[in-house]
Amino acid sequence: MSSDQKEFYAHETAVIDEGCEIGKGTKIWHFSHIMAKCKIGENCNIGQNVVISPEVVLGKNVKVQNNVSIYTGVTCDDDVFLGPSMVFTNVINPRSAVNRRGQYSKTHVGKGASIGANATIVCGHDIGEFAFIGAGAVVTKTIPAYALVVGNPSRQIGWMSEYGHKLVFDKEGKAICPESGEVYYLKEGRVLKSNP
Ligand SMILES: CC(C)(COP(=O)(O)OP(=O)(O)OC[C@H]1O[C@@H](n2cnc3c(N)ncnc32)[C@H](O)[C@@H]1OP(=O)(O)O)[C@@H](O)C(=O)NCCC(=O)NCCS
């Protein structure tokens, strides 16, 4: 891609391999490496020293903080936040002497989810929409939409609104986000935004 066709910004120290699609308005900062055939949506921010392995797919407005590694098999929907130094994985049982290339586990991160600083996502566990993974958590299970999880191994300690506030449900299973005023319902272990 010639520079005059580019509608995204990449710092001169960033490396972008062949066959990538990078959306308009996206910014890629110092020393980051986007490997072959990645698809990165519009208005993303890829911080410093980020590695994105081949064929990773990121939606629109994904914010990737410094030192994050996103490996092949990972897909992130729109508005995902990946905190500084968090890391994905894509092989459950790596051995240096055994070649498992092409056998990568998949991990999907739903729209609006946030992953805190230094968290580790053990591969094959999807993260639901608007889930919130606390700083330093080690995720070893699939995480439901809107769940708040912390610790190693991560455990659910509550639910988070789309604006990132803990949801306190009353005995009818209703909660209101203090920032947006949006109403949430807890029904059969799932958070919904319309009254079931
Ligand atoms: C998970 C999080 C949102 C909780 O924030 P909070 O609602 O203010 O939580 P509190 O401080 O009230 O903590 C509630 C309990 O959870 C524990 N806790 C909070 N965050 C934790 C974490 N990341 N890991 C383990 N335990 C945690 C607290 O120690 C406290 O435990 P206690 O009840 O036994 O005292 C926040 O701690 C967090 O990890 N945010 C992510 C920050 C981040 O990575 N930002 C990246 C951009 S810079």
Side-chain angles (χ1 to χ4, degrees), residues 170-190:
D170 64 17
K171 55 184 186 315
E172 273 82 47
K174 183 176 163 188
I176 299 173
C177 171
E179 187 171 355
S180 69
E182 289 176 310
V183 180
Y184 294 83
Y185 299 90
L186 181 60
K187 178 92 180 163
E188 291 164 2
R190 289 178 60 212

Side-chain angles (χ1 to χ4, degrees), residues 64 117 136:
V64 183

Side-chain angles (χ1 to χ4, degrees), residues 1 10 17 25 36 39 66 68 71 82 84 96 101 110 112 114 119 123 132 141 155 157 172 182 188:
M1 192 180 291
D17 291 347
K39 287 190 182 149
N66 297 345
V68 167
Y71 295 118
L82 303 178
S96 184
R101 212 168 286 142
S114 293
C123 54
F132 198 106
K141 297 212 160 56
R155 298 282 181 245
I157 60 166
E172 273 82 47
E182 289 176 310
E188 291 164 2

Side-chain angles (χ1 to χ4, degrees), residues 65 81-84 115-119 132-137 148-152 157 160 164-166:
Q65 304 302 94
F81 178 91
L82 303 178
I115 302 180
N118 259 317
F132 198 106
I133 313 301
L148 166 61
V149 304
V150 298
N152 177 10
I157 60 166
M160 286 290 245
H165 296 279
K166 276 188 197 157

